[in-house]
Amino acid sequence: MNTSRSDVLFAEARKVIPGGVNSPVRACLSVGCDPLFIASGHGSHILTVDGQDMIDYVLSWGPMLLGHSYPDVTHAVVEAAGRGTSYGAPCEAEVELAQAVVDAFPAMDMVRMVNSGTEATMSALRLARAATGRNKVLKFIGCYHGHADPFLASAGSGVATLSIPGTPGVPEATVQDTLLAPYNDLAAATDMFHLHGDDLAAVIVEPVAGNMGLVLPEEGFLKGLRSLCDASGALLILDEVITGFRVEYGGAQTRFGIAPDLTTLGKIIGGGLPVGAFGGKAEYMSQIAPSGNVYQAGTLSGNPLAMAAGIATLRVLKRCDYAELESRVRRFTDELAAILREKGVPVTINQLASMFTVFFTDKPVRNFEDVKNSDTELFGRFFKAMREQNIFLGPSAFEVSMVSFMHSDADFEATLEAARKIRL
Ligand code: KE4
């Protein structure tokens, strides 16, 4: 069998890049196959270096809500590049994107641009610790907030996918300040407040969990965290790196009516270029240098190309009908579940807005334990079978599959037809 271009590239990549990838989950280790190298993306499709045209449900793990190569975004980036790629001095686009973000999130008076979601959550936690004079942070098992030291205890995404202990290289003291509770378990969170409340700087939570597969917040969970924070003086950080501008234009906090003290963003606000952000009330954000003493910085923060991509993306999204997309995705996932069940396998699909995850279990999936108890080996077989049918799903049972505004009914029908054809 002749060697594919992807295989050749992956062999070369492994010689010079750890694991052959620049981010672990791309290696497809948990689903038992090698990654495909991508040559281009247009709309809802990607083309591999071997010419395989695939319907893309990864969408760069979230940024591409408008699909690949959206003309307004591409034009904005090309036009900005013609004026230079980075200045290390303020530019107008930074103000425009900051204003667009603040306008979309009522709980946000100010926002600081950074270069990744990891930088955003790392900086938000530092700010919360400075603002409260406290050290501990409570996170939820299976949630992923980037790879900064404080967040790698029982993290989701690639940490869960690869079953990494989660804390090699992280000092014991750091992990001691990271408290854990199961997602959706308000009683366990309350216990942490009773035990550590006077040293708890912040609670950080994905308002809709997207890093243990898709897990939705149960009634009262988020509002309960808000009340616990109000009573103890801890800050509530909503990590909306995935959900911001995806669950709806104003993020999960708008949909669920929760006002956080700080919000972290990423992915969509960069339109595919490296952007993260953290923001909140002026009383907190004004403590960030240079207006305050909490240091945070970045050579390429507010980069003119990334700002241009973000501005163009949000300008289009503001006109999009999120409810219509959600109802189309719900119909699609209902049909997908029915097709898979006809094959005699237990299936639960969690879906919200333009995100979904197929879990091979007949039980509800409401936390990380439930995900681990699903048939993740069968998920690997499902992933590979669908990829052979030119359907590119998130390569892990601990990730979500994403839909864009460019996914057509024909794409959904082709995906359903692929699901009918595969053998599990
Ligand atoms: P980045 O540093 O990868 O830009 O963002 C970290 C992050 C923070 N918070 C949430 C809720 C996130 O989902 C992420 C990153 N998401 C993963 C996929 N679920 C990134 C994919 C990868 O690591 O390659």
Side-chain angles (χ1 to χ4, degrees), residues 21 23-31 155-166 395-396 398-399:
V21 291
S23 200
V25 73
R26 299 178 196 169
C28 299
L29 290 179
S30 73
V31 288
S157 187
V159 179
T161 296
L162 303 177
S163 301
I164 294 174
S396 161
F398 299 95
E399 295 287 358

Side-chain angles (χ1 to χ4, degrees), residues 94 97-98 101 111-115 269 275-277 296 301-302 307:
E94 294 173 83
L97 185 57
V101 170
V111 64
R112 167 62 62 87
M113 296 294 164
V114 296
N115 300 282
I269 64 169
V275 180
Q296 186 280 327
S301 297
M307 297 298 101

Side-chain angles (χ1 to χ4, degrees), residues 1-9 11 50:
M1 182 178 77
N2 62 343
T3 307
S4 72
R5 178 84 182 121
S6 263
D7 291 343
V8 169
L9 286 171
D50 292 288

Side-chain angles (χ1 to χ4, degrees), residues 141-391:
I141 297 164
C143 285
Y144 177 72
H145 304 291
H147 63 87
D149 283 356
F151 301 124
L152 284 181
S154 292
S157 187
V159 179
T161 296
L162 303 177
S163 301
I164 294 174
T167 58
V170 174
E172 185 54 37
T174 304
V175 179
Q176 276 167 353
D177 282 334
T178 301
L179 307 174
L180 300 169
Y183 196 78
N184 275 321
D185 190 338
L186 194 56
T190 303
D191 289 347
M192 284 298 158
F193 273 85
H194 289 161
L195 288 169
H196 303 283
D198 56 5
D199 191 27
L200 198 54
V203 174
I204 186 167
V205 66
E206 294 179 59
V208 177
N211 287 289
M212 53 180 121
L214 186 70
V215 174
L216 309 188
E218 294 190 333
E219 187 62 38
F221 177 58
L222 297 175
K223 288 195 187 321
L225 294 180
R226 177 68 273 173
S227 302
L228 286 167
C229 288
D230 290 343
S232 80
L235 301 195
L236 178 61
I237 303 172
L238 289 190
D239 180 353
E240 296 228 40
V241 168
I242 288 180
T243 55
F245 295 101
R246 177 167 285 276
V247 164
E248 64 177 73
Y249 189 77
Q253 59 192 264
T254 300
R255 180 164 181 148
F256 294 115
I258 299 285
D261 299 299
L262 297 174
T263 298
T264 54
L265 296 168
K267 296 182 191 275
I268 290 170
I269 64 169
L273 271 68
V275 180
F278 65 102
K281 290 291 175 225
E283 68 177 290
Y284 301 123
M285 294 304 291
S286 60
Q287 299 181 45
I288 292 288
S291 52
N293 298 329
V294 182
Y295 198 67
Q296 186 280 327
T299 302
L300 297 174
S301 297
N303 172 274
L305 268 64
M307 297 298 101
I311 290 164
T313 298
L314 299 196
R315 201 175 276 157
V316 175
L317 287 177
K318 201 166 183 180
R319 306 194 299 263
C320 289
D321 185 342
Y322 282 74
E324 195 270 341
L325 179 60
E326 177 161 39
S327 62
R328 291 175 62 226
V329 175
R330 184 173 304 115
R331 283 196 302 275
F332 160 63
T333 52
D334 287 348
E335 180 60 27
L336 178 61
I339 290 168
L340 294 173
R341 288 188 189 111
E342 279 163 17
K343 298 177 186 293
V345 294
V347 173
T348 294
I349 296 185
N350 285 353
Q351 175 266 330
L352 183 86
S354 51
M355 303 184 289
F356 68 95
T357 298
V358 176
F359 296 103
F360 289 102
T361 176
D362 53 10
K363 298 182 176 59
V365 177
R366 51 184 297 281
N367 59 33
F368 189 58
E369 277 310 304
D370 293 343
V371 178
K372 283 199 298 184
N373 292 333
S374 69
D375 189 339
T376 53
E377 192 274 329
L378 177 51
F379 179 88
R381 297 208 309 273
F382 169 62
F383 171 84
K384 280 183 285 189
M386 290 296 273
R387 194 170 88 166
E388 283 159 19
Q389 297 290 328
N390 304 319
I391 308 299

Side-chain angles (χ1 to χ4, degrees), residues 17-72:
I17 304 171
V21 291
N22 282 309
S23 200
V25 73
R26 299 178 196 169
C28 299
L29 290 179
S30 73
V31 288
C33 55
D34 289 341
L36 299 178
F37 279 61
I38 306 305
S40 64
H42 293 279
S44 55
H45 287 236
I46 48 174
L47 192 65
T48 71
V49 294
D50 292 288
Q52 186 181 1
D53 182 343
M54 305 179 78
I55 300 172
D56 183 13
Y57 290 98
V58 176
L59 296 174
S60 180
W61 302 97
M64 313 321 296
L65 180 55
L66 290 177
H68 298 287
S69 308
Y70 193 88
D72 297 37

